[in-house]
Amino acid sequence: MSVSSITDVHARRVWDSRGRPTLEVEVTVGSGAVGRAIAPAGASTGSGEAVDRRDGGDAFGGYDVTKAIAAVNDEISDALIGLDAEDQENADAVLIELDGTPDKNRLGGNAMIAASMAVAHAAAAAAEMPLWRYLGGLAAHTLPLPEIQIFGGGAHAASRVDIQDFMVMAVGAEDYAQTLDWTAEVYRAAGALMSESGLLQGVADEGGFWPAFDSNEAALDMLLRSIERAGFRPGEDVAISLDIAASEFGKDGRYTLGLEKRELDSDGLIEMLLGWVDRYPIVSIEDPLGEDDEDGLIRFTAAAGDKLQIIGDDYLVTNAERVGHAAGVGACNAVLVKPNQVGTLTETRAAFDAARAADWGAVVSARSGETEDVTIVHLAVGWGAYQLKVGSFARSERMAKWNEGLRIADALGDHGQLAASTLFPWGR
Ligand code: PGA
Ligand code: ZN
């Protein structure tokens, strides 16, 4: 038996940042080392995502995961024991075949991603390396530019505003630590402005301020003022990034802005967004149109793709084939990379590689339902991703990830390099 051969797989129920059940998997290998990972959960999910296995019924709003846990402790455990944790592709192929469904509904995407990530952690532990170093080897040196939410809306704030994420990117910062320093000041300034204007109502699912605005543009104005009040030059030091999450308020090319009581077609929404891009220092827009509106995405990319990062999330669902197709037809120029959207690390990596092959951007991302698990930070550094999206600058499920980045930056020392300087203005 080798030091990295899997000897035990165990799942237990733990709780996520929304107080909902999720599962944690521990994989033990021959050396005695243990790898552990927890499945996150989305709220504004794409229809093409791997399906989380939930119990349904009355307990915990139907969100319990006892069946997903049983799947790990029975079938998945039987299938993984004896395999080499260092062979991630093989372990993931075994999981995919065992599940046997296109959307991972039998074992559950949540069971599979926790098991898959725990295998990677166990392999790194057996090699006595942090996961980022195990994945990236000696070449790993890139710290991702954080994309950090200041206001949270859409499905994460009871649709209080239509747009889901109003974020900042500290594009002018010199290193990873400074991106967080600057964001902390912007977040604080935003809180003060909200409080002064009587709009402070607590925080949304990912820790951004709960937006009590009369229009989506009022949120943009407030974000711009927050950057200025914190003492930064908008666009040069700190730029704006949006996740429209348009699938949440649009279908079949019809979009209903609840806040402004307006209905728009694809071209109307595109025109509105292009107007924002003209008036505000916006460098990146995610899901500008619905996941079913490929024509709209192509038109938007043709109109703005040379000056703007256009990220597909619900539309691409971390699927390598979809990324390849979208690059071919000219829809979007970057992909959001969420491991639980596809269900295994190998498939996640394939989507990342497909983006690279197309000369696209790639943003490694958390979900709105998160935990203390910091795997995605290690993936971002280990794979050399240029950007990381984790939610806001509050609540420990978010801060655990930003802080893990600080630890990795410290370990890299002078070798570490923030990906920001070459990233924006849009150049990838
Ligand atoms: P979700 O939101 O985790 O609720 O899907 C994140 C996002 O849309 O980027
Ligand atoms: Zn999104």
Side-chain angles (χ1 to χ4, degrees):
M1 187 178 63
S2 82
V3 290
S4 57
S5 66
I6 297 171
T7 58
D8 189 51
V9 178
H10 177 71
R12 68 172 63 90
R13 188 171 75 198
V14 295
W15 301 89
D16 76 9
S17 55
R18 282 191 273 252
R20 291 178 187 165
T22 184
L23 78 162
E24 162 173 286
V25 174
E26 280 175 357
V27 168
T28 309
V29 289
S31 70
V34 180
R36 175 201 288 160
I38 309 176
S44 72
T45 51
S47 60
E49 292 196 19
V51 174
D52 278 349
R53 193 158 172 202
R54 303 275 180 186
D55 292 2
D58 292 336
F60 311 126
Y63 286 106
D64 210 352
V65 288
T66 63
K67 291 173 186 156
I69 289 169
V72 174
N73 289 334
D74 301 334
E75 281 187 72
I76 290 180
S77 171
D78 286 348
L80 291 182
I81 286 175
L83 302 187
D84 189 345
E86 278 191 11
D87 194 346
Q88 183 79 41
E89 274 184 36
N90 181 49
D92 287 340
V94 165
L95 288 175
I96 291 164
E97 197 187 321
L98 184 67
D99 172 71
T101 70
D103 61 0
K104 275 103 177 168
N105 72 69
R106 199 182 76 75
L107 295 170
N110 46 354
M112 288 176 68
I113 195 60
S116 178
M117 296 195 303
V119 166
H121 279 288
E128 298 182 352
M129 279 184 231
L131 182 58
W132 64 270
R133 176 65 80 192
Y134 171 76
L135 293 171
L138 288 174
H141 72 284
T142 304
L143 276 314
L145 175 66
E147 187 185 15
I148 305 186
Q149 187 193 67
I150 304 296
F151 304 120
H156 302 159
S159 297
R160 186 55 189 78
V161 294
D162 305 292
I163 308 308
Q164 181 177 286
D165 296 318
F166 295 86
M167 296 170 287
V168 293
M169 298 174 95
V171 291
E174 270 174 19
D175 57 30
Y176 177 83
Q178 193 169 52
T179 66
L180 300 186
D181 293 358
W182 290 10
T183 305
E185 297 289 14
V186 174
Y187 187 75
R188 225 163 59 85
L193 281 171
M194 295 284 279
S195 170
E196 284 162 22
S197 51
L199 297 174
L200 193 59
Q201 299 195 346
V203 298
D205 276 9
E206 297 188 7
F209 294 113
W210 186 280
F213 300 113
D214 295 330
S215 69
N216 294 294
E217 288 195 26
L220 280 167
D221 285 332
M222 185 72 102
L223 187 51
L224 191 59
R225 282 170 58 204
S226 305
I227 294 169
E228 286 167 347
R229 179 187 273 209
F232 300 110
R233 294 168 299 172
E236 283 167 73
D237 299 325
V238 178
I240 293 178
S241 165
L242 302 174
D243 182 358
I244 308 301
S247 307
E248 290 292 316
F249 59 86
K251 215 175 155 26
D252 302 327
R254 304 294 313 170
Y255 298 91
T256 309
L257 292 175
L259 189 56
E260 294 161 22
K261 298 195 174 46
R262 267 205 290 169
E263 183 150 327
L264 299 169
D265 60 12
S266 302
D267 286 328
L269 181 56
I270 289 171
E271 203 178 304
M272 184 185 86
L273 295 176
L274 291 176
W276 290 357
V277 171
D278 279 344
R279 289 200 301 285
Y280 300 94
I282 297 170
V283 294
S284 178
I285 297 189
E286 182 177 326
D287 285 349
L289 295 124
E291 61 174 32
D292 61 356
D293 193 355
E294 185 168 86
D295 286 346
L297 287 166
I298 293 170
R299 288 202 298 283
F300 187 67
T301 306
D306 58 339
K307 56 183 171 193
L308 195 65
Q309 174 169 257
I310 301 168
I311 307 172
D313 172 16
D314 292 350
Y315 166 60
L316 298 171
V317 290
T318 315
N319 179 308
E321 261 177 52
R322 289 191 187 209
V323 171
H325 164 81
V329 298
C332 302
N333 56 27
V335 62
L336 205 68
V337 177
K338 293 167 162 172
N340 84 321
Q341 238 173 5
V342 66
T344 65
L345 270 194
T346 302
E347 291 162 287
T348 308
R349 173 73 203 218
F352 180 78
D353 288 343
R356 276 244 164 113
D359 196 24
W360 272 28
V363 184
V364 175
S365 171
R367 303 307 305 249
S368 51
E370 271 293 337
T371 66
E372 65 273 28
D373 185 285
V374 294
T375 308
I376 56 161
V377 185
H378 288 255
L379 299 182
V381 179
W383 292 350
Y386 288 173
Q387 297 164 77
L388 180 65
K389 180 188 183 198
V390 170
S392 192
F393 208 70
R395 304 184 24 152
S396 287
E397 79 278 6
R398 313 290 152 191
M399 304 318 291
K401 292 160 183 76
W402 303 131
N403 289 342
E404 188 72 358
L406 287 171
R407 291 182 196 102
I408 298 173
D410 229 5
L412 280 166
D414 289 343
H415 298 297
Q417 208 186 347
L418 179 67
S421 55
T422 52
L423 205 53
F424 297 103
W426 181 236
R428 298 193 291 284

